[in-house]
Amino acid sequence: MLALLVLAATWGRALPWALVALVAVFLAGGVLAAVHHAEVIAHKVGEPFGSLVLAVAVTAIEVALIVTLMADGSEKNATLARDTVFAAVMITCNGIMGICLLSASLRHRVAVYNSEGTGAMLATVATLATLSLVLPRFTTSTPGPRFAPGQLAFAATASVVLYGLFVLTQTVRHRDYFLPLARAGEVIDGDEHAHVPTRREVLTSLGLLAVALVSVVGLAKVESPTIEHGVAAAGLPSSVVGVVIALLVLLPETIAAVRAARRDRVQTSLNLALGSAMASIGLTVPAVAVASIWLSGPLVLGLDSTHMVLLALTMVVGTLTIVPGRSTPLQGGVHLSILGAYLVLAVIP
């Protein structure tokens, strides 16, 4: 609630450095509050619904932030949606996955998860990323790495349909594929905590989760001019802004995923990581497609060659990681090294 009050007091204003630092403190507090309330809801509704709630909630507000930043129609924001979505894919599929696999395998010797559900998620992420971020580079109907209106409509429709099919599979038809596994391989349908939140506690946490997420993304928007000025002053590429935005809005999922991994609930961590990547593409592309009707600036979605190589490497390594259903610290380190390469190349292209 305090973060929301700070957001209301600072929205639309130029801030001195002291207030920027204060906003950052409340931004961190909002992230921690969002993680707490998401875990309360997740404990009540169970997996995989809990991770789905957090992934969709964070991504929906992230989409609103992207569209808001693109609304001024400036040329520098033409690639903001692409940069932020790709950064989210790299952070979730390499950063969150890597740190969770490393944390769980170091603590419990081997990280165990369901390869059927996780493989289905990775396949969906790979398809959505290719349709939305790779194909625009090779189309010829419009100049540059951009979709023609009909192509953009197809990519948006395919994103919505695939994401809808995933949610149906995860929550109804094959829910057991997305539940945590014990050491012996049996499905764990429940949690080890003694206290189950009451209905009133869950409704309170649901409301406060919405407040926390609005505060996090809103304060990230308040911080964005400072981020843009800092990036420009340092002589860094404008795409770094998208990376920073993705890092900020994915903090709640990252903390929640690492906590789950340390409790040996690696499947929950992977649900959060890959579910966030899927929601980021599946919600952002349709929203940007609709917004492009009235947005005056160009919309560039196609990745450059370096990023396409990193995306391909991520999907190949991710497949090899997931297929066995068990991971050692090596797999976590490999994913983190790919994320490191992406961050280095973002700063030094």
Side-chain angles (χ1 to χ4, degrees), residues 39-122:
E39 289 186 338
V40 171
I41 296 169
H43 185 38
K44 179 66 174 180
V45 302
E47 281 298 318
F49 300 99
S51 56
L52 184 65
V53 168
L54 181 58
V56 172
V58 170
T59 307
I61 303 177
E62 176 192 354
V63 169
L65 175 61
I66 292 172
V67 173
T68 300
L69 292 175
M70 292 179 65
D72 62 3
S74 63
E75 189 74 27
K76 67 178 182 178
N77 288 331
T79 61
L80 180 63
R82 179 199 68 185
D83 295 338
T84 306
V85 169
F86 183 66
V89 171
M90 297 303 291
I91 292 167
T92 53
C93 294
N94 289 310
I96 300 179
M97 266 187 67
I99 195 171
C100 288
L101 294 177
L102 185 63
S103 174
S105 57
L106 287 175
R107 190 178 181 90
H108 305 285
R109 193 170 179 83
V110 175
V112 179
Y113 44 88
N114 194 322
S115 60
E116 293 173 304
T118 310
M121 285 192 287
L122 184 65

Side-chain angles (χ1 to χ4, degrees), residues 154-188:
F154 168 76
T157 304
S159 298
V160 171
V161 171
L162 284 176
Y163 189 68
L165 283 174
F166 161 72
V167 171
L168 178 65
T169 302
Q170 185 186 37
T171 59
V172 180
R173 294 188 63 86
H174 298 285
R175 178 172 172 261
D176 55 311
Y177 288 0
F178 302 91
L179 295 175
L181 295 180
R183 295 277 106 189
E186 67 271 14
V187 171
I188 302 174

Side-chain angles (χ1 to χ4, degrees), residues 1-4 29-41 53-54 57 61 200-216 252:
M1 296 300 294
L2 289 174
L4 190 64
V31 168
L32 295 177
V35 172
H36 167 73
H37 294 300
E39 289 186 338
V40 171
I41 296 169
V53 168
L54 181 58
I61 303 177
R200 180 177 181 179
E201 290 173 333
V202 171
L203 291 176
T204 301
S205 287
L206 186 62
L208 291 176
L209 173 63
V211 170
L213 292 176
V214 169
S215 301
V216 167

Side-chain angles (χ1 to χ4, degrees), residues 266-321:
V266 181
Q267 185 62 50
T268 300
S269 301
L270 298 181
N271 289 346
L272 281 165
L274 296 176
S276 297
M278 202 180 310
S280 183
I281 306 173
L283 295 179
T284 301
V285 173
V288 170
V290 173
S292 65
I293 298 174
W294 69 83
L295 292 178
S296 57
L299 176 60
V300 177
L301 289 176
L303 297 172
D304 58 31
S305 56
T306 303
H307 286 165
M308 283 192 287
V309 170
L310 287 174
L311 178 62
L313 179 61
T314 297
M315 295 308 152
V316 171
V317 171
T319 302
L320 296 175
T321 297

